[in-house]
Amino acid sequence: MNRPDFSVSPDNLEILAPAGSPEALIAAIRGGADAVYLGGGSFNARGNAHNFDAAALREAAALCHSRGVRMYLTLNTLIHEDELNPAMSLVGQACELGLDAIIVQDLGLAAAIRATAPRMPLHASTQLSCHTPSGVRELRDMGFSRIVLAREMSRDEIAKCSGQGAELEVFVHGALCMSVSGQCYLSAMLGGRSGNRGLCAQPCRLPFTVKQGKIPSDERALSLRDLSLYEYVADLASIGVGSLKIEGRMKRPEYVAAAARCFSKARDALTGNHKGADSELLRDLQAVFSRSGFTSGYYTGRRNSEMFGSRTYKDVTAAAPALARLAKLYGKETPRVPVTFTFTMHVGEPTTLTAEDGDGNRVTVTGELPQKAIKLPLDEQRIAAQLAKTGGTPFIASVTCNLQQGLTLPLSSLNALRRNALDKLLDIRAKATPIAFNPESKPEKPEANPKNKMHIIVRFSNVNQISENIAADMIVVPLNTPGKRLSELSEKYTVGVEIPRGLFGTEQQTARMLADLANVGVTTALCGNIAAIPLARSAGLSAIAGFGMNITNLGALEALIQRGIKAAVLSQELTFKQMGFSKDAPVPCGIIAYGHQPLMLLRNCPGKAAEECKSCSGGLTDRRGIRFPLTCAAGCAELLNSVPLWLADKLDRLPPLDFLLLHFTDETPEKVAAVLSAYQNGGKPPKDFTRGLYKRGVE
């Protein structure tokens, strides 16, 4: 199979900047960004940014394309079943405007775009939590041409994702979420505002501590410093990263301009003919927005307490003097589009000026008749000097002359020719080149799976939680369970293993562990990440898509069926009503029905960073004194909800589902048995419990 060449050089290393408002868009372009990303009116991961309505989107596309800047539309939220048509209307608009790519999280939306607009490039959002070579290949095969990798990856982990047949995009500057993107449910669970739906309330920036009791306001156990990889630009290019992404659609235009200018200068310095950003600009970049400075922690592998920080009064006051200086960065047009002028002046013929850009656009304008020079005729040097004065425009001009000697023309006429030619060329460049969009073309739909009885699947964090004679249709145990124990369990139960959601640097090891499982009776793998599906497939195991796959519509489910899944756990952010599509599902569908629900997948454990594992109390306390458990496994930590989900007394009100997943974390064998009995026979809830989001839903 012939694959595109994704080798990276200074000529094709992209600086990608955020545009959360029209002013920020101008700041990004004039700051030196090669591409921008922005949201339409809805369905993007920054719902509180300015975003762009239909008219503003059209203006933004014209502005970007006239200046040689690529424009990517963010449609990177989860889509509910009744939202697919409105989302596809935005896709149709993006195609009409000839946008350069759409950034997508929802796999159902991605499949619909592939069917209706196969020529529209798709970029896999970082919300898809892709962090392994296998994940890159899987998304590539699903139609994504570029993968925005997870922020939590080290240099070596990024390098291993290169050469897999897709472009790589990496965040190089801006805010770091504490959780792996796409795997955070904290804002949704605490306040109904979903990060997966673009409305994160950032509760992680509030006081949390690993200590119990009263919490001082400066305790920020879930707040990381901002990322900056300015000094690693050359290294990123060398390992195959093709796009350097700046975070910040909620940030000021001054921030956008400063970050774009710094990173474009760092990129240009790779040629040896340019210098990087000067020290004042770098200081201003930190001053305009940081949280107690910057970190490069995940990239360098230094995951420790030095990565943590919060926005202080000192940080805020440092920004004021920098803002005025940084505003000058985007006060006027930045020359960035090469244009070739050809000026012709012959006796008895009107003068002409032809302007041609590197994209094949060409215009010719006509001026005055030349006059015979009395004293000093116009020569090539004077003409070139005058026509090259393109200040105030986005063009950089080179000039060729075709002259008869002894003629002259007022300099004002030359200026008028230049202005006229550049205005016409700018208009041509701004015109959209539409991409074919056929809304009637839709993915094929497989037949629905018949509903039988409700099954019970029990997931354990530890095999020691399993008591004798559990009455469950399947048990799911950790992947690292010893083979002998798996063999014993498989004699009594249908056994599956859970492939960790975080596979950072462990993909090959995981594949080796999976390879021998069929020999000890394991039949199934619970897959919480896109990379886990091909690993299960290769091992001959039936794949169940876990809650981390964030399935919120039938199209997403069907897209994963095409990759081989045999069952699916639906998103824990759906209401029962929103799960109605499950009745038409081609494979069995279920939900997490019990347990301390996972709220965050963490690569830098706050407990370890603050207390070290020996003294970590295994949880975090918020400002109200509520305790949230922390569990660690497979190199990552998970922050769990403070109280368990309970539905055992509501089983008659559930939507048409095929199974319930009971998610056990730290329960004793006796507690496991009691919960199982309640779900099989009906049972009252404990003193402290939650119904999750299944009734109240999320914004």
Side-chain angles (χ1 to χ4, degrees):
M1 174 179 171
N2 293 323
R3 292 178 179 166
D5 179 14
F6 294 117
S7 58
V8 178
S9 71
D11 293 330
N12 63 9
L13 179 60
E14 178 183 86
I15 307 302
L16 175 58
S21 68
E23 190 177 3
L25 175 64
I26 293 171
I29 294 171
R30 295 180 179 179
D34 306 296
V36 298
Y37 62 102
L38 51 82
S42 54
F43 308 119
N44 72 88
R46 289 294 180 268
N48 293 322
H50 172 90
N51 294 313
F52 292 74
D53 61 19
L57 206 60
R58 185 175 298 278
E59 291 178 9
L63 181 69
C64 287
H65 290 159
S66 65
R67 279 130 181 99
V69 173
R70 293 177 289 278
M71 180 171 148
Y72 307 142
L73 181 67
T74 56
L75 283 177
N76 55 344
T77 64
L78 298 179
I79 306 295
H80 292 160
E81 189 69 21
D82 60 353
E83 296 173 331
L84 185 59
N85 287 338
M88 290 305 294
S89 293
L90 275 173
V91 173
Q93 187 178 359
C95 291
E96 180 186 351
L97 297 177
L99 300 192
D100 298 277
I102 300 177
I103 305 171
V104 179
Q105 173 188 10
D106 192 285
L107 295 177
L109 178 60
I113 296 172
R114 288 268 58 78
T116 58
R119 291 182 55 208
M120 172 61 76
L122 282 182
H123 294 178
S125 169
T126 191
Q127 292 287 119
L128 277 162
S129 317
C130 182
H131 57 273
T132 69
S134 182
V136 171
R137 292 191 297 271
E138 195 73 359
L139 290 172
R140 174 204 71 199
D141 292 346
M142 296 178 79
F144 291 96
S145 60
R146 178 185 292 187
I147 314 300
V148 188
L149 292 174
R151 291 173 171 92
E152 296 74 23
M153 298 172 67
S154 70
R155 179 201 186 274
D156 290 345
E157 290 160 359
I158 294 170
K160 289 177 181 176
C161 289
S162 181
Q164 306 300 322
E167 296 175 325
L168 299 183
E169 181 176 303
V170 168
F171 278 92
V172 295
H173 192 88
L176 278 177
C177 292
M178 186 69 207
S179 173
V180 175
S181 295
Q183 302 301 311
C184 183
Y185 310 94
L186 183 66
S187 177
M189 200 65 68
L190 297 188
R193 295 181 60 185
S194 169
N196 281 316
R197 299 268 294 166
L199 291 172
C200 179
Q202 295 190 319
C204 52
R205 302 294 184 186
L206 295 173
F208 282 87
T209 182
V210 295
K211 304 178 181 67
Q212 298 196 56
K214 188 176 180 180
I215 302 173
S217 61
D218 61 346
E219 292 281 2
R220 295 291 193 274
L222 291 176
S223 181
L224 296 178
R225 292 183 175 185
D226 281 17
L227 171 71
S228 189
L229 298 181
Y230 170 80
E231 60 186 295
Y232 299 100
V233 167
D235 192 45
L236 285 157
S238 74
I239 61 175
V241 175
S243 180
L244 308 183
K245 188 169 194 172
I246 299 164
E247 181 276 339
R249 280 196 286 142
M250 302 289 289
K251 303 277 180 61
R252 297 179 62 111
E254 292 89 345
Y255 162 91
V256 175
R261 181 61 55 87
C262 281
F263 280 90
S264 63
K265 281 181 171 288
R267 183 268 315 281
D268 294 343
L270 300 183
T271 64
N273 299 321
H274 301 271
K275 293 182 179 180
D278 58 53
S279 57
E280 183 181 59
L281 181 56
L282 290 170
R283 286 195 301 271
D284 282 350
L285 178 59
Q286 178 167 323
V288 74
F289 198 94
S290 73
R291 291 181 172 88
S292 307
F294 295 131
T295 180
S296 59
Y298 287 120
Y299 188 76
T300 59
R302 295 191 294 267
R303 301 192 301 274
N304 52 37
S305 60
E306 293 180 2
M307 287 184 65
F308 291 79
S310 58
R311 186 82 168 148
T312 65
Y313 178 75
K314 182 179 179 181
D315 295 327
V316 175
T317 56
L323 291 174
R325 290 192 295 270
L326 294 175
K328 297 177 182 178
L329 292 177
Y330 63 98
K332 59 182 180 180
E333 288 273 12
T334 301
R336 58 184 303 146
V337 180
V339 61
T340 300
F341 282 138
T342 302
F343 177 71
T344 302
M345 185 168 64
H346 291 165
V347 174
E349 298 177 6
T351 53
T352 62
L353 181 65
T354 298
E356 186 171 4
D357 64 19
D359 298 321
N361 299 306
R362 178 175 177 167
V363 298
T364 299
V365 295
T366 302
E368 300 177 14
L369 285 167
Q371 303 168 0
K372 186 175 181 180
I374 297 174
K375 291 184 179 180
L376 186 65
L378 276 179
D379 58 20
E380 289 192 19
Q381 186 175 359
R382 290 178 64 199
I383 293 169
Q386 199 66 26
L387 291 178
K389 294 179 179 179
T390 57
T393 78
F395 295 102
I396 307 169
S398 60
V399 182
T400 300
C401 293
N402 181 4
L403 305 178
Q404 281 188 346
Q405 300 302 313
L407 299 176
T408 190
L409 195 70
L411 295 183
S412 60
S413 296
L414 284 176
N415 294 340
L417 280 169
R418 182 190 64 237
R419 287 193 299 269
N420 194 9
L422 292 183
D423 286 347
K424 289 181 180 297
L425 187 61
L426 205 60
D427 288 343
I428 291 174
R429 292 177 59 84
K431 289 181 179 178
T433 304
I435 294 171
F437 175 69
N438 179 10
E440 301 303 318
S441 181
K442 297 178 181 178
E444 292 185 10
K445 292 187 177 295
E447 293 183 6
N449 176 65
K451 303 295 178 188
N452 297 309
K453 72 165 190 171
M454 183 85 76
H455 292 82
I456 298 290
I457 299 177
V458 185
R459 176 265 188 197
F460 296 100
S461 290
N462 191 311
V463 290
N464 294 329
Q465 296 173 291
I466 304 174
S467 59
E468 291 294 323
N469 301 318
I470 287 178
D473 297 287
M474 179 186 295
I475 64 170
V476 177
V477 297
L479 178 59
N480 62 358
T481 303
K484 182 179 179 181
R485 183 70 171 120
L486 288 171
S487 184
E488 294 170 352
L489 291 170
S490 66
E491 293 178 1
K492 301 172 67 175
Y493 310 107
T494 299
V495 178
V497 293
E498 182 175 28
I499 301 176
R501 284 188 292 154
L503 290 167
F504 298 95
T506 64
E507 189 171 82
Q508 292 184 353
Q509 176 187 353
T510 301
R512 288 193 295 269
M513 296 173 72
L514 288 168
D516 297 327
L517 292 181
N519 296 329
V520 291
V522 175
T523 62
T524 306
L526 182 61
C527 303
N529 183 272
I530 192 69
I533 295 175
L535 295 179
R537 214 166 49 219
S538 297
L541 302 176
S542 294
I544 299 177
F547 73 91
M549 299 299 296
N550 293 320
I551 299 170
T552 59
N553 58 69
L554 186 59
L557 181 60
E558 290 169 344
L560 290 170
I561 291 170
Q562 294 296 318
R563 309 311 304 166
I565 70 158
K566 304 301 182 184
V569 181
L570 303 182
S571 167
Q572 56 183 342
E573 292 188 349
L574 289 174
T575 65
F576 288 153
K577 183 178 180 180
Q578 290 166 341
M579 295 175 190
F581 66 86
S582 65
K583 69 179 184 300
D584 299 318
V587 296
C589 294
I591 58 171
I592 294 179
Y594 168 82
H596 289 267
Q597 294 166 274
L599 301 183
M600 280 186 166
L601 179 66
L602 313 168
R603 196 170 189 201
N604 191 353
C605 177
K608 181 178 180 180
E611 298 283 341
E612 296 299 329
C613 289
K614 294 179 181 178
S615 56
C616 172
S617 56
L620 297 181
T621 303
D622 73 4
R623 66 193 190 283
R624 299 170 298 172
I626 297 175
R627 194 72 171 159
F628 294 81
L630 270 173
T631 62
C632 297
C636 290
E638 284 194 315
L639 183 71
L640 306 178
N641 202 6
S642 57
V643 294
L645 172 69
W646 189 270
L647 297 177
D649 58 333
K650 301 289 184 180
L651 298 180
D652 58 339
R653 302 183 188 179
L654 298 183
L657 296 168
D658 300 280
F659 65 88
L660 302 179
L661 177 66
L662 310 185
H663 189 94
F664 292 110
T665 50
D666 60 354
E667 291 85 352
T668 64
E670 293 75 21
K671 178 67 172 178
V672 168
V675 170
L676 260 173
S677 176
Y679 274 81
Q680 288 157 347
N681 305 306
K684 295 180 180 180
K687 178 182 177 182
D688 297 313
F689 70 97
T690 179
R691 302 295 188 189
L693 296 165
Y694 296 142
K695 182 176 180 181
R696 56 190 171 102
V698 296
E699 294 183 49

